[in-house]
Amino acid sequence: MRFRHRFAYYLVGFSIGLFFVAVVLTGKDASCNYFPNARVLKTLRSKPFMYDIEASRRLGEDWIDTIDIKNTLQFGEVDFAKSNHKEEGGNLYVIYGQTVKKQPITLEVLNYEEKAVLRNIIKRKEKND
């Protein structure tokens, strides 16, 4: 069999396979969270999220908002060297992010079995590169 015919058969089979994969995955909330950072952030977002007294007091200040918290939990970076320590019956995670105004922040989140609690919000100094 010539190369053209083999290539044509390959393309037909490949397109049928793509069609079936598209049918199976369309409409599903499928995501590929293989990296530890993405897995931790998704776990924290999927649980009921509560605020500690200190975090609520910081949210009352002018420089931070709940949108900044949600963005940090979506796009932030988990510092695993300072995270995953047992505290108060849960695991502490330190997450670096930024506000809408590009101010760097650090979140301290306690991850329990049934909920996630924002323990503290820290305003970091801007880096002078």
Side-chain angles (χ1 to χ4, degrees), residues 57-119:
R57 190 172 59 78
R58 298 278 180 160
L59 283 172
E61 295 176 5
D62 196 24
W63 61 274
I64 190 83
D65 192 10
T66 56
I67 294 170
D68 301 325
I69 304 299
K70 290 181 182 183
N71 286 342
T72 301
L73 289 176
Q74 180 74 34
F75 305 109
E77 292 291 326
V78 179
D79 185 355
F80 287 102
K82 297 179 182 177
S83 297
N84 208 9
H85 300 291
K86 296 281 185 189
E87 284 193 22
E88 303 171 16
N91 291 337
L92 175 68
Y93 288 101
V94 177
I95 305 166
Y96 300 125
Q98 63 184 5
T99 64
V100 177
K101 299 174 184 173
K102 306 293 186 204
Q103 170 68 40
I105 60 172
T106 302
L107 303 181
E108 294 178 355
V109 180
L110 284 169
N111 184 20
Y112 296 103
E113 287 284 327
E114 68 282 346
K115 65 182 177 180
V117 178
L118 179 61
R119 187 170 82 171

Side-chain angles (χ1 to χ4, degrees), residues 27-41:
K28 295 191 177 194
D29 189 21
S31 64
C32 299
N33 293 329
Y34 294 117
F35 295 110
N37 190 63
R39 291 173 60 193
V40 167
L41 293 177

